[in-house]
Amino acid sequence: MSDWDSDKSPGWGDEPVEPEKGSKPLFGRRSPKMPPESGRDWKLIEKLVMSLQAEQRRSRRWGIFFKFLTFGYLIALLFMLKVPFGDSLDSVSGKHTALVEINGPIAADELASADNIVGSLRTAFEEPNSVAVILRINSPGGSPVQSGYVYDEIKRLRGEYPEKKVYAVISDIGASGAYYIAAAADEIYANRASLVGSIGVVAGGFGFTEVMNKIGVERRLYTAGENKAFLDPFSPEQEKEVAFWQGVLENTHQQFIEAVKQGRGDRLADDERLFSGLVWSGEQAIELGLVDGLGSASHVARQIVGQEDLVDYSRRKSPFQDIVDQLGVAFGEGFAGQLVESRLELR
């Protein structure tokens, strides 16, 4: 027997209610008997509503949490942009040897810019507890202007603080503009396998005229001034422009040579290859007078200076700058600039 044929009352809800007399059936001739909601049904509905409300409250709480988290993240980014993290300095206590790092290309928009290096050097010299300054160099060179600024400032600081000696220590490479700076030091040290020298000047670019002719591109250049389009990479090369540019390179090279001679003096060997742009190992550089000895920064501080405690005065990149650099945002811009520009660099 089915539940519908049973004499038992339904197991849920109250007794079915017959439709009132005179009322019109909803479903044809006969309407089914609909049980009203029971107390248990209301409890189930109430639980469902309460659970939905609790879920909404949890969602609101998590939403507020993530909004605060995002807001805090933005505040932290703004703080890192405004606060000069790069000027951090180890706690100074007692006598020590000051350390200034020169890493990477020497250029105005790099960490190894004249402003950063000179600022670090001034702080190191002005510190009463620093007994000497070590320039730890690992750079292939760069701008002759930036290198010249640092060279001149080292000379000035040495004159102002004659009791504090400056030692340049080359790690992997100290070439071109980096050696230009090192030449201003009292003494230069390197590893036997370090790359040292490259006393020369280089400027390069590209010429696109043949490619343009092949693909049918016409160069349209409008100038006011006879030499305003000097060494334009999209125009045919002119002999007089090349000769003029070579004169600029030779003049800059001579400035480099004079700075090295002034800094190294009689220690330089009488070898015509010294200023040819060649690079030597640290061991070979000793024989040529480019380097005074072999040793690391800690070795120089301990054995030469006599104060092995090193305090780093170098300016560093902020965490935000590191993130941006890792993203490689500047890669395309740098490649395009290198493609069309003719840069003057010490190499």
Side-chain angles (χ1 to χ4, degrees):
M1 180 183 294
S2 68
D3 291 339
W4 295 103
D5 299 330
S6 174
D7 294 334
K8 297 179 182 180
S9 61
W12 58 277
D14 296 331
E15 290 290 333
V17 178
E18 292 287 345
E20 296 180 1
K21 292 181 179 182
S23 62
K24 189 175 181 179
L26 296 176
F27 299 93
R29 298 178 62 183
R30 296 184 61 186
S31 298
K33 297 179 179 181
M34 303 298 291
E37 294 86 349
S38 67
R40 187 171 63 177
D41 296 335
W42 279 111
K43 288 180 181 180
L44 291 174
I45 294 172
E46 184 179 6
K47 287 182 179 180
L48 178 61
V49 172
M50 294 297 292
S51 64
L52 289 174
Q53 290 178 343
E55 183 65 29
Q56 288 177 347
R57 284 195 294 270
R58 282 195 294 268
S59 299
R60 283 197 296 269
R61 284 196 294 267
W62 279 110
I64 293 171
F65 170 76
F66 282 113
K67 286 177 182 177
F68 273 110
L69 187 65
T70 304
F71 183 73
Y73 179 73
L74 293 174
I75 291 295
L77 284 179
L78 290 173
F79 182 75
M80 286 189 291
L81 282 171
K82 295 295 182 182
V83 177
F85 285 94
D87 295 336
S88 62
L89 177 64
D90 297 342
S91 57
V92 178
S93 59
K95 298 296 182 182
H96 61 270
T97 301
L99 179 71
V100 175
E101 300 266 9
I102 301 177
N103 287 319
I106 301 168
D109 55 351
E110 296 286 345
L111 185 61
S113 67
D115 287 341
N116 287 339
I117 298 171
V118 167
S120 301
L121 285 169
R122 288 175 181 170
T123 306
F125 271 96
E126 291 167 1
E127 171 57 45
N129 287 322
S130 66
V131 298
V133 179
I134 291 179
L135 290 169
R136 185 157 61 190
I137 298 171
N138 186 20
S139 170
S143 165
V145 175
Q146 298 290 308
S147 301
Y149 281 158
V150 179
Y151 178 95
D152 293 340
E153 185 63 15
I154 293 173
K155 289 287 190 181
R156 188 191 71 80
L157 290 169
R158 283 178 59 189
E160 187 174 347
Y161 300 90
E163 74 282 2
K164 294 184 181 182
K165 284 194 171 185
V166 182
Y167 300 91
V169 178
I170 297 171
S171 55
D172 294 299
I173 182 170
S176 188
Y179 188 80
Y180 193 155
I181 293 174
D186 291 280
E187 295 178 11
I188 302 175
Y189 291 84
N191 183 273
R192 62 174 58 88
S194 300
L195 296 178
V196 181
S198 187
I199 302 173
V201 184
V202 63
F206 295 89
F208 300 97
T209 53
E210 293 296 327
V211 175
M212 293 168 62
N213 290 334
K214 288 182 179 179
I215 62 177
V217 176
E218 180 184 357
R219 174 63 163 164
R220 295 176 180 177
L221 184 63
Y222 311 100
T223 65
E226 182 182 355
N227 297 304
K228 190 59 181 177
F230 178 73
L231 295 180
D232 175 52
F234 301 102
S235 300
E237 197 172 51
Q238 304 293 327
E239 286 188 15
K240 64 175 184 178
E241 294 180 351
V242 174
F244 179 86
W245 188 234
Q246 187 61 41
V248 173
L249 299 182
E250 294 291 346
N251 181 261
T252 306
H253 187 204
Q254 193 59 43
Q255 295 171 11
F256 192 178
I257 294 171
E258 292 301 322
V260 173
K261 286 182 176 180
Q262 184 180 355
R264 300 300 294 166
D266 296 337
R267 288 172 289 187
L268 290 174
D270 186 14
D271 192 322
E272 61 182 12
R273 300 176 302 164
L274 274 179
F275 308 117
S276 66
L278 290 175
V279 64
W280 290 273
S281 69
E283 206 165 43
Q284 293 172 317
I286 294 177
E287 300 175 1
L288 294 169
L290 296 171
V291 168
D292 295 291
L294 301 177
S296 62
S298 58
H299 168 82
V300 172
R302 183 176 56 253
Q303 301 295 333
I304 310 300
V305 178
Q307 184 56 254
E308 63 179 348
D309 292 333
L310 286 167
V311 175
D312 193 352
Y313 286 76
S314 310
R315 295 190 177 185
R316 307 290 183 187
K317 285 185 179 181
S318 70
F320 181 77
Q321 285 176 308
D322 283 332
I323 293 172
V324 172
D325 290 345
Q326 289 173 9
L327 292 176
V329 175
F331 173 79
E333 181 182 353
F335 179 79
Q338 184 66 28
L339 190 66
V340 299
E341 291 181 6
S342 178
R343 295 190 178 186
L344 178 62
E345 294 183 353
L346 296 180
R347 289 188 185 175

